[in-house]
Amino acid sequence: MTVHQLVLHLAATDEADRRAAEDALALLGPAALPALMEHLGDAASPVSEAALLRVLRRTGPSAFRPVLDVLRSVAPGQAYWRAFRVFTRLGAVALDGYAGALTHDDPMVRRAAVMAIGECGEDGVLLAERAVPLLGDPDVEVRRTAVRSFWSWGAVVVPLLQAVRRGGPGAARAGALEALAEIGGEAVLSARDLAVLERLVRIKLPDDVPASIACCFLSWIAVSTGDQGGVMELLGLSTPRPVPFAAGVYAADCDSHAGPDDNPLDQYRRVFVTPELAGWTLVVGSWCDPSSAEREAEVLEACALLSARYGRAQAYWHSAQCDGSAVLVAELGTIVRRFACIPGEDMQHLELGAPLAYEQRRRTALDLPVLAGGHVDTEEEHEEWTAELLDLALGLSGELSLDPRSVDADTPVRGTGVLARTEYGRSLSAPIGALRL
């Protein structure tokens, strides 16, 4: 069987045939590389990049240069990204090659090299010092990728990054600061660096304007007042730090993405408390979610207390991924309505109060019968009504208070937004992560 035939067998339907082809090509070593490269650079090849990668990793360091040559020679498009993904995943056997590529003339090669080193985990840390200049690379994508690689290494590179902050190289200092913030937040920043950030915020705030509040998973409490300090005091929020509006929204968005591998309480450490917006103060962050299993009782109590003091308070959750919506409406200390629709989950235990006038009007607009006072059927077979339920938080907030998406530079504003810690932030320490200032 020829080398080309062996490579084609990497796409065989029979697993035994595929494994036999991989073993035979690995034994051929460098002699198999020309045929493998032909398929690597051909987006129409039946051989998957994963199959090619398995063989190339077994081939060892000799695969690095041919893969790099393919990466540099193919035209932009599917074939390029196919080669890019294979190049960055060759693993620790290619570390010497990656180290040399960090100074390559082509920024895309530098980007791929520093990404690959980050993918090598503990082995890649050995090259961290050589990757420092890329934190200040002239190409913005190379810089961002370098920051992500240092971030992925975690605490082990903190001393190196702190040394860069103190002594340079100067071009890499900003990237080192961002990487430190992503790794450990305030806990790993020097007093001098914190002062620099605070000064930058003060410079930006006079020209700051509100912008649309949009997150993949958006939770917020709306209170009919401009008394930002009073709202924070009643909610037990502390350590408020002024931030540009967009930075506050960015923080809320980042926090809302806490995944199953994280501490599930991490997402509740802080909130963004907006300035007064058209007569309303919004508290934005996952901590405000009225349907959260950890927070539902506390959010209900908070809205009752806020509405007793300020007249009206509402809590909302909305998924931009069409995962669901939840609402809670309180007036003068009383919970008027709570409802959640999350497909695939039974949220009936959350429902309180009778359907609101807004809900009934939307039913009428769709030629559907009015809702009875009991439980709303979230599985009603009507696509448009299902869509209404999934967007209920946005629609209802626009009716009763303020749709956060509608906030813009023309929204009447008074005051400055702040990031504040919740009780979780005080007990679990400050959130980590760099803010986009």
Side-chain angles (χ1 to χ4, degrees), residues 65-77:
R65 177 56 58 178
V67 174
L68 175 58
D69 290 342
V70 171
L71 178 65
R72 299 206 65 211
S73 63
V74 294

Side-chain angles (χ1 to χ4, degrees), residues 165 173-182 184-205 241-244 247 431 433-437:
R165 288 296 300 166
R173 294 183 78 246
L177 179 60
E178 182 177 355
L180 282 168
E182 293 287 11
E186 296 178 16
V188 297
L189 298 182
S190 67
R192 181 180 179 182
D193 281 341
L194 288 172
V196 167
L197 292 174
E198 289 172 356
R199 185 167 64 250
L200 177 60
V201 168
R202 288 196 299 270
I203 291 171
K204 288 182 172 290
L205 283 179
R241 288 198 169 179
V243 290
L435 297 180
R436 299 292 180 260
L437 299 177

Side-chain angles (χ1 to χ4, degrees), residues 2 57 78 119 205 242 245 256 274 297 317 329 353 362 403 423:
T2 68
R57 281 179 167 174
Q78 289 184 335
E119 294 282 345
L205 283 179
F245 200 95
S256 73
T274 71
W317 173 78
V329 179
R362 297 311 303 158
D403 179 346
E423 68 273 25

Side-chain angles (χ1 to χ4, degrees), residues 116-331:
I117 292 170
E119 294 282 345
C120 289
E122 293 181 1
D123 293 321
V125 173
L126 300 174
L127 296 177
E129 191 166 356
R130 295 180 65 173
V132 163
L134 275 68
L135 292 169
D137 195 276
D139 185 273
V140 64
E141 289 302 324
V142 176
R143 292 199 304 274
R144 289 173 179 168
T145 303
V147 168
R148 285 193 291 270
S149 289
F150 276 88
W151 176 17
S152 72
W153 289 323
V156 69
V157 294
V158 164
L160 173 61
L161 293 168
Q162 290 172 330
V164 173
R165 288 296 300 166
R166 291 191 300 269
R173 294 183 78 246
L177 179 60
E178 182 177 355
L180 282 168
E182 293 287 11
I183 293 169
E186 296 178 16
V188 297
L189 298 182
S190 67
R192 181 180 179 182
D193 281 341
L194 288 172
V196 167
L197 292 174
E198 289 172 356
R199 185 167 64 250
L200 177 60
V201 168
R202 288 196 299 270
I203 291 171
K204 288 182 172 290
L205 283 179
D207 298 321
D208 192 43
V209 294
S212 177
I213 302 174
C215 303
C216 290
F217 305 99
L218 178 60
S219 304
W220 74 102
I221 294 174
V223 190
S224 58
T225 181
D227 181 13
Q228 184 190 66
V231 169
M232 288 193 292
E233 180 184 15
L234 192 150
L235 292 176
L237 303 176
S238 62
T239 324
R241 288 198 169 179
V243 290
F245 200 95
V249 175
Y250 179 83
D253 191 22
C254 289
D255 294 348
S256 73
H257 285 85
D261 294 333
D262 300 313
N263 182 334
L265 302 181
D266 282 349
Q267 61 185 318
Y268 303 134
R269 293 189 188 198
R270 66 182 169 188
V271 289
F272 174 49
V273 187
T274 71
E276 181 180 352
L277 301 169
W280 291 82
T281 296
L282 306 187
V283 183
V284 186
S286 296
W287 184 80
C288 305
D289 181 357
S291 62
S292 161
E294 298 90 358
R295 294 284 306 151
E296 61 185 59
E298 288 79 5
V299 173
L300 185 145
E301 181 182 4
C303 286
L305 292 172
L306 287 165
S307 69
R309 178 181 294 185
Y310 298 110
R312 291 179 291 170
Q314 301 142 25
Y316 300 96
W317 173 78
H318 178 261
S319 166
Q321 316 301 319
C322 296
D323 292 325
S325 206
V327 301
L328 188 156
V329 179
E331 295 180 0

Side-chain angles (χ1 to χ4, degrees), residues 102-117:
L102 290 173
T103 57
H104 201 280
D105 291 339
D106 186 342
M108 286 300 291
V109 174
R110 297 196 300 275
R111 179 189 174 198
V114 74
M115 179 185 293
I117 292 170

